[in-house]
Each structure stands twice: as structure tokens, then as C-alpha cells.
Amino acid sequence: MSDKLLVIGEVREGELRNVSFEAIAAAKQISSEAEIVGILVGDGELEGLAKELIQYGADRVTTVMHENLKTYTSEGYGQAILAIIHEESPSGIVMGHTSIGKDLTPKLAGKLQTGLISDAVAVESGGDQPVFVRPIYSGKAFEKKIIKSGMTFVTIRPNNIAPLEKDESRTGNVSVKDVDVTDIRTVVKEVVRKASKGVDLSEASVIVAGGRGVKSADGFKPLYELADVLGGAVGASRGACDAEYCDYALQIGQTGKVVTPDLYIAVGISGAIQHLAGMSNSKVIVAINKDPESNIFNVADYGIVGDLFEVIPLLIEEIKQLK
């Protein structure tokens, strides 16, 4: 196999997800000498997005456009990406550990009869072999893995590996591969998005999350306002979702999304172990709760004991004055 790494990019609402750029940075850490080849599949115009991948570090990009790739299905994407993999014969593949990545990569690995390291949060140097760090036991511990033989196939957790700086002067070849995407057994007739528009929760650098202490759906309104002034996203604990204060698309925790933002503001969240499993690796955690004995304060870097309906408006005003 050649020293070549394929990076599978992801498109969301016509734009590249940030994890696509993080995957390129991870590929560079795996092998600084390897040729980085981006892969983009879809139904729309991909050339502009391909050029953006190159500006973030890809050496060249291969695209596949087909009407059966308009909406994600593992069968359609799998056919398109496998065709490129077989043509390129790479030494490794890198993709984001997103909802699509978690569904697609095990199936690709099975077709390729190769192993898969999922949910890596860091790539370390280990002599001739890169060392992949991934959380286990709901984030209570970390394990380190190396690949002794065969293809390097890894997914990376979003918002953990910083992307390379964008260089608009970088150029590279963008090629189009024709793949006959057929035999799609799953037909997506309609996509209904319940999640709010704006910053993607799994990639947000700032998250304001509400729990049962928010008390109602209306109680989430100040959280949205705080997230807006911070340029962040809104999340929730399972308790808040179960109480129907918000949609389950916002759920963070062991059975929801796992996030690692730069700043996580937990509002009215007690700190159940299942919730901590989804956010405890955040870089800075701020807890707002009127109960000083809440478990959330045990993991928080900063704690505010007080009524969230009094504290949040004060925070919003202070932040607005700083801007």
C-alpha cells in the first residue's frame, strides 16, 4: 500500500462540517509525509467544498456526485466511497465520529475486512506507529491503541483535534469519479429536522445546557439568548428531554450526544453520571445551580450557586457590555 491517507469529508446544509478539517489535521498527525486525499460525496456542486478541503490541508480531493447521494444512506455512501478506496489503495482512512461516521465506518471496515479504532480524541507519537487515545467506561478512563498491521482506519471525536490553519493560497487537483450508485434498499422520502438551526451541537465550542431546574420549555428561552450572545449552541440533560422541555435532539449524555466544547455551561443540571459521561471532557465547565450539594459542582471548574433565572440575565448583560 502507498503512504496515502483518505479523509472522508461531511457536508451539512451545503457546508463542510468542521470535523472534516479536524480529520485532515488528524491524518497529518498520523503521517506527516503521507499524501492526504479528501473524499466528498453528494448530489450538489462539490467543487467549491473540495477546494476548501485543500485549503485546510488536503493535497487533492476526489468527488462523487449522484442523485442517489442527495440524502445519506449507508448503502449509497458506502458504494461511492468503496469505489474510491479500491482505486486509491490507501494506507489509512480518517473520518469524524459523527452520526454518519458511526453508522458508515463499521460497514466499510467490514467490507474491507479491516479493524477500526473509533472515537479517538488524540493522536500521539509512538515511534514508527501513531498511538490513538480514546475514552472508555463513559469517559472515566482512556486507553491507547496502535495498529500493528493492515490499514489504519479511525474515526475522531469532533472538537478534540484542532484543524490546521486555512491557507487560501493552497491548490490541488479536484477530480470527479463516476460511480453507478444502485440497489439502494433504503429510500429516504423526507427529512424533518427537529434540531434548531445554527451552530451544530456536536461541534460547538460553547454549549449552554439546561436540566430539570429550567422547569419548563419557556425556561429554555434565556439559555437560547445566552448561547446566542456567546455564539454557541443549546443542549439539555435527559431529564429535561423526558420532561418535554425540549426535543431529544438536544440531549447530551451517555444515551445522547457526547460533546467536548471549550466552554460548557450547565444550567439547572444536577450532574447525574449519565449526563457527565457526555460532557465531562469539556475544557472549561461552569455550573449554575441553586443547590450547593449538586454533583455537577464536583466536575465544574467554576460554580455559581443561585437561581438560574436571576443569574442568566445578569450574565447576558455583562457579556453584551464586553462586546
Side-chain angles (χ1 to χ4, degrees):
M1 290 184 294
S2 61
D3 193 14
K4 180 192 304 178
L5 295 172
L6 300 188
V7 172
I8 303 173
E10 280 193 56
V11 180
R12 179 176 181 264
E13 296 179 355
E15 296 182 354
L16 282 169
R17 296 188 66 176
N18 195 57
V19 72
S20 306
F21 311 134
E22 296 170 356
I24 292 174
K28 292 283 188 182
Q29 293 178 16
I30 292 170
S31 174
S32 60
E33 303 298 323
E35 180 186 21
I36 308 299
V37 181
I39 300 176
L40 286 178
V41 301
D43 183 39
E45 176 56 48
L46 299 176
E47 184 177 356
L49 301 179
K51 290 179 178 178
E52 191 175 6
L53 271 184
I54 290 170
Q55 291 171 351
Y56 274 95
D59 296 304
R60 57 184 175 89
V61 178
T62 298
T63 65
V64 180
M65 288 174 280
H66 195 283
E67 60 180 4
N68 286 338
L69 299 174
K70 181 177 182 179
T71 304
Y72 169 77
T73 62
S74 61
E75 295 164 304
Y77 274 46
Q79 288 179 46
I81 292 170
L82 274 172
I84 299 175
I85 293 171
H86 290 318
E87 182 177 278
E88 296 285 353
S89 297
S91 55
I93 305 170
V94 185
M95 186 176 186
H97 194 69
T98 60
S99 56
I100 290 178
K102 287 184 279 188
D103 180 61
L104 179 62
T105 53
K107 296 172 183 177
L108 291 176
K111 293 280 188 181
L112 297 168
Q113 295 186 334
T114 188
L116 171 66
I117 295 178
S118 62
D119 201 20
V121 296
V123 182
E124 299 178 352
S125 176
D128 295 334
Q129 295 282 356
V131 179
F132 299 96
V133 182
R134 61 184 304 275
I136 55 174
Y137 303 125
S138 301
K140 298 186 187 71
F142 293 85
E143 66 176 359
K144 295 185 177 182
K145 288 193 169 185
I146 63 170
I147 297 172
K148 293 185 177 181
S149 62
M151 179 185 293
T152 298
F153 199 173
V154 59
T155 61
I156 62 165
R157 181 180 291 189
N159 209 28
N160 274 264
I161 297 175
L164 304 174
E165 287 189 17
K166 186 176 183 179
D167 182 358
E168 296 185 356
S169 66
R170 285 191 96 248
T171 59
N173 181 58
V174 178
S175 60
V176 179
K177 181 174 179 59
D178 291 325
V179 178
D180 189 14
V181 181
T182 58
D183 299 324
I184 306 297
R185 292 172 294 176
T186 303
V187 178
V188 180
K189 299 241 177 168
E190 183 183 7
V191 177
V192 179
R193 298 189 184 277
K194 291 186 178 180
S196 59
K197 293 185 178 179
V199 182
D200 186 85
L201 184 61
S202 63
E203 297 181 4
S205 59
V206 177
I207 292 176
V208 182
R212 285 188 181 272
V214 175
K215 297 181 180 179
S216 67
D218 285 341
F220 265 85
K221 291 180 180 178
L223 275 64
Y224 277 102
E225 188 176 354
L226 178 58
D228 184 57
V229 297
L230 291 171
V234 172
S237 68
R238 179 169 181 173
C241 297
D242 287 344
E244 298 184 351
Y245 299 162
C246 60
D247 193 87
Y248 280 99
L250 301 184
Q251 184 183 336
I252 295 169
Q254 192 169 19
T255 55
K257 291 182 173 68
V258 176
V259 297
T260 50
D262 295 332
L263 173 62
Y264 188 90
I265 303 177
V267 183
I269 293 175
S270 63
I273 189 65
Q274 291 85 355
H275 183 75
L276 299 185
M279 47 68 69
S280 60
N281 290 322
S282 303
K283 295 176 179 64
V284 176
I285 300 172
V286 177
I288 302 172
N289 201 302
K290 63 182 180 182
D291 180 7
E293 301 300 320
S294 289
N295 188 51
I296 192 69
F297 289 117
N298 293 326
V299 298
D301 299 285
Y302 301 95
I304 301 174
V305 178
D307 188 329
L308 66 92
F309 298 105
E310 296 176 1
V311 174
I312 296 295
L314 292 174
L315 278 177
I316 292 170
E317 287 303 313
E318 287 295 326
I319 294 167
K320 284 182 177 179
Q321 290 180 19
L322 292 173
K323 291 188 172 183

